[in-house]
Every structure is written in C-alpha cells, then in structure tokens.
Amino acid sequence: MAYSPSKGGPGQLIIDEDASIGALIHEYTHYLDDSKQGFPGMSYHFQTINRVKMELNAYMREIKIAEDMGRNDIANMLFENYIQERRLLTEHLKKNNSGGIK
C-alpha cells in the first residue's frame, strides 16, 4: 500500500488486494493531507518534518478507530509502528544532513 504524490493534482493510490481497511484509511489520509497542501509534489513529501506530520496524522486516524472499537492492543501496536517509522525517517535525515535536523 502506498500513496504516491503528484505535483499539481492528485497522486496515485497503490492498493494491495489483501490490504486491510486500516491500511486503506492510512493511505487515504495521506491523500487527504496532500490535497490540503494543494498537491505540492514529491519535494514537499521528501522534507522529513512534512513526512513525520503526515505519518502521525495517518497513524492517529487508525489508532482512533482501533480505540473506538475497544481494540487498545491494536492501537498500541499502531502507535509503536508510528514510533518506528518516525525513527527511520529522522535517522535518515541525520545521515544525510551533517548539520543536524533542519
């Protein structure tokens, strides 16, 4: 599953036939966030702070749904997934910017 942004218009939503509803909601949330920004293109999405914010928004939407269903186990797992993804994104930034996080 993925959402691939495009400059000036909606990007492409890549859907796996075995995807969960949660995964679909997650990627759809990326589309909604991209739309709110006016479809700025990949350069916007390659900025770590923007990626981190978009991932947080998508994961929090999934977490709320899980909590509303009484599935705190799933909500906790999703939050851990977000923490891991944020760590990967910020570690990548540190490796590519010798001057620190910008």
Side-chain angles (χ1 to χ4, degrees):
M1 293 288 303
Y3 173 71
S4 179
S6 180
K7 188 170 181 74
Q12 182 178 18
L13 187 60
I14 301 161
I15 301 171
D16 184 293
E17 64 185 46
D18 296 322
S20 67
I21 294 297
L24 288 167
I25 290 168
H26 185 102
E27 298 306 328
Y28 177 63
T29 302
H30 288 323
Y31 161 79
L32 293 175
D33 288 342
D34 193 33
S35 176
K36 286 179 190 173
Q37 294 301 319
F39 302 113
M42 286 297 243
S43 62
Y44 176 86
H45 295 279
F46 281 133
Q47 295 175 33
T48 301
I49 190 69
N50 297 335
R51 285 284 304 279
V52 168
K53 287 178 183 178
M54 288 180 74
E55 289 303 331
L56 177 61
N57 191 34
Y59 274 108
M60 291 309 293
R61 180 175 278 196
E62 284 188 273
I63 289 167
K64 176 154 182 14
I65 291 168
E67 288 175 339
D68 288 349
M69 292 173 40
R71 294 300 308 264
N72 290 335
D73 57 328
I74 294 173
N76 291 336
M77 179 192 68
L78 288 165
F79 185 73
E80 288 301 320
N81 289 351
Y82 166 71
I83 295 297
Q84 289 176 6
E85 189 158 354
R86 184 182 71 186
R87 186 176 301 123
L88 287 172
L89 290 168
T90 57
E91 286 299 318
H92 175 73
L93 177 68
K94 288 177 188 175
K95 289 177 186 175
N96 291 312
N97 289 320
S98 59
I101 296 177
K102 296 182 179 179

